[in-house]
Amino acid sequence: MRAMRAFQDEGLIGHIGISTVTPDQLARARDVAPVVCVQNMYNIVQRGDDAMIDALAEDGIAYVPYFPLGGFSPLQSEGLNGVATRLGTSAQQVALAWLLQRSPNILPIPGTSRRSHLRQNIAAASLVLPTEELRLLNGLAGAR
Ligand SMILES: NC(=O)c1ccc[n+]([C@@H]2O[C@H](COP(=O)([O-])OP(=O)(O)OC[C@H]3O[C@@H](n4cnc5c(N)ncnc54)[C@H](OP(=O)(O)O)[C@@H]3O)[C@@H](O)[C@H]2O)c1
């Protein structure tokens, strides 16, 4: 962080983001230089960063969840599939819509090698999850 701070002071970089950090590491990094975004693993069933996300939102710092679709372990959940079926969409689209509705500072970065999936993932930004379905989805992490 001290090196990044020096680069920033020299005008070589504009902003600093950090990745795969614990709350303690985040605090120590912020003691050295302003952090504009944090990229950590987070998705609808892996929510270890819930408290961090809320704290970052209060400070206007972006949170970039990697593996938003589970990464190497694709999301598998009957509850998620049920919501997708009822809404006439895919589980992946529901998972992305859930992230976008979770907090305004969340910027999901789904990876794909298919144009059809890219289109679906972009369309997920317009999917509004009804309150009842949201309640069910919010309980998925505990139900796993
Ligand atoms: N900072 C870090 O340490 C770190 C670590 C890991 C990853 N990342 C970053 O996080 C981003 C996402 O990671 P990721 O791509 O590994 O995980 P991911 O986005 O959670 O999952 C990607 C997987 O989901 C599938 N997929 C994507 N859209 C889909 C859809 N609409 N329907 C069905 N399947 C779909 C993809 O298959 P298809 O190719 O068939 O679509 C691929 O197998 C990347 O930019 C990566 O570089 C960062």
Side-chain angles (χ1 to χ4, degrees):
M1 279 305 286
R2 278 193 291 275
M4 296 299 280
R5 179 66 194 247
F7 288 149
Q8 195 173 40
D9 291 343
E10 283 179 56
L12 295 174
I13 58 173
H15 301 287
I16 299 172
I18 56 179
S19 179
T20 316
V21 289
T22 63
D24 179 57
Q25 289 168 328
L26 171 63
R28 283 160 51 203
R30 293 181 71 187
D31 282 343
V32 179
V35 168
V36 299
C37 66
V38 173
Q39 183 176 134
N40 271 6
M41 182 172 71
Y42 182 82
N43 59 50
I44 194 165
V45 296
Q46 292 171 299
R47 297 194 211 155
D49 274 355
D50 269 332
M52 185 192 285
I53 289 169
D54 294 336
L56 291 173
E58 279 182 24
D59 291 345
I61 296 174
Y63 182 90
V64 183
Y66 71 70
F67 289 167
L69 299 174
F72 300 118
S73 309
L75 299 175
Q76 287 180 329
S77 156
E78 279 182 28
L80 181 60
N81 292 342
V83 173
T85 302
R86 283 191 293 281
L87 297 181
T89 183
S90 72
Q92 288 80 8
Q93 285 179 303
V94 172
L96 293 175
W98 180 84
L99 281 171
L100 289 167
Q101 279 182 241
R102 164 67 179 79
S103 182
N105 65 330
I106 289 190
L107 305 172
I109 50 167
T112 182
S113 56
R114 296 168 204 252
R115 261 185 272 183
S116 59
H117 285 169
L118 176 62
R119 289 193 195 96
Q120 288 171 20
N121 296 346
I122 292 170
S126 312
L127 176 63
V128 178
L129 300 169
T131 310
E132 274 309 305
E133 302 291 9
L134 260 185
R135 197 169 297 141
L136 198 153
L137 293 167
N138 288 341
L140 283 186
R144 239 179 122 224

